[in-house]
Amino acid sequence: MQRIPTRIHGMLDYALGILLLASPYLFGFADGGAAEWVPTLVGIVIIVQSLMTDYERGIARILPMPVHLGMDAVAGVFLAASPWLFGFAEQVWLPHLLLGLVAAGIAATTRIVPDDRAADSTPLVRMASMAETLGKPPADHPRSSDLRPATALHAGKAENADQLRRAIDSGATRDKVAVVDPAAAPLGTDAESGAPHDEEGLKLARSQGQSSAPPPS
C-alpha cells in the first residue's frame, strides 16, 4: 500500500495546502464562517508540518515521517467530517469531503522511510554502523598474525557496558592478546608436565612413566 515516495508526498503536501487555502474562494464559500476557516486551518497545518518534517521537502527536518503521516490522516478525517461536525453541510460539503479523503488517502499510501534515508535502513549499513560504534577497525586496518588489530584502538565510542564488552571481545582494544599457556596443556601425568614441551620431551616423559609403573597383578 505504501507506494508514494516521500519526495512526491512532499510536493503533494504543499500543493494540497495551497489548494485548501484557496478553496473557499475557488468554490464560493468564503463567508467568514466555519466552512471557510476549517480548510484554511487544515491547509496551514499541512504546510507548516511539511516545512518541519524530516523528508526531502522539509526545511527544519525535525518531525519524524510516521508522525507527519499520522497528522495528515487525522487532518484529512477532520476535514472530511467538518461539514457535519460544525453544521454547515447544508451550505457546502463536497469540497471538504473530497479534499479530506485525498489527504487521508495520500497519508495511507506514502512510504514511511524518506527516500534519502532509505539506504541507512539496509542490513549492511546497520552492521557497518554497529561496527563503527563498537570501535572495530575497518576491513583494511593492519592486523597481526592472529588476525587482531595491529595497533591498539580506543573503545571510547562504546556507549554502554555491553558495547564495551563486545569491543574488548572483538580484540579492538588490544586488551586480549593470543598467547600460549603451558598450564592449560592437556598433559596426563606430572612427568609429562615437568618435561620439555616438545615432541622428544613428551616421548621421554611417557616412556619413563610407563617403565616406572608397577606390573599388573
Side-chain angles (χ1 to χ4, degrees):
M1 291 294 293
Q2 297 174 340
R3 298 180 180 274
I4 300 178
T6 53
R7 65 180 184 276
I8 301 300
H9 180 96
M11 298 171 62
L12 296 175
D13 276 339
Y14 292 112
L16 182 60
I18 294 173
L19 179 59
L20 287 171
L21 293 177
S23 62
Y25 308 95
L26 292 176
F27 302 107
F29 54 87
D31 57 357
E36 177 182 357
W37 64 258
V38 168
T40 301
L41 177 62
V42 173
I44 293 174
V45 169
I46 289 178
I47 292 175
V48 171
Q49 77 169 8
S50 299
L51 294 171
M52 299 175 62
T53 298
D54 184 15
Y55 66 166
E56 297 87 346
R57 307 303 178 184
I59 295 179
R61 303 198 71 163
I62 59 177
L63 187 67
M65 193 64 195
V67 176
H68 171 103
L69 295 177
M71 294 177 63
D72 276 352
V74 172
V77 173
F78 172 76
L79 179 62
S82 62
W84 296 273
L85 289 176
F86 297 97
F88 57 85
E90 295 182 358
Q91 174 189 356
V92 60
W93 59 271
L94 187 58
H96 301 73
L97 178 62
L98 291 180
L99 294 176
L101 293 178
V102 168
I106 292 174
T109 55
T110 298
R111 299 171 186 169
I112 296 178
V113 179
D115 295 343
D116 62 350
R117 303 287 175 86
D120 297 338
S121 63
T122 62
L124 290 177
V125 173
R126 288 198 299 268
M127 291 174 63
S129 300
M130 181 181 296
E132 182 180 359
T133 302
L134 298 180
K136 294 181 181 179
D140 58 349
H141 193 279
R143 293 177 178 271
S144 61
S145 59
D146 61 349
L147 300 181
R148 297 178 181 272
T151 57
L153 297 178
H154 180 55
K157 293 183 179 180
E159 298 179 357
N160 53 50
D162 185 58
Q163 291 178 345
L164 179 59
R165 186 181 305 109
R166 292 182 182 178
I168 295 174
D169 290 343
S170 69
T173 60
R174 297 291 293 171
D175 291 323
K176 290 190 173 184
V177 181
V179 297
V180 177
D181 185 4
L187 302 176
T189 66
D190 292 338
E192 291 178 0
S193 300
H197 292 169
D198 55 16
E199 291 298 326
E200 295 299 326
L202 291 176
K203 290 179 180 179
L204 177 61
R206 294 191 181 102
S207 64
Q208 292 175 351
Q210 292 176 357
S211 62
S212 61
S217 56

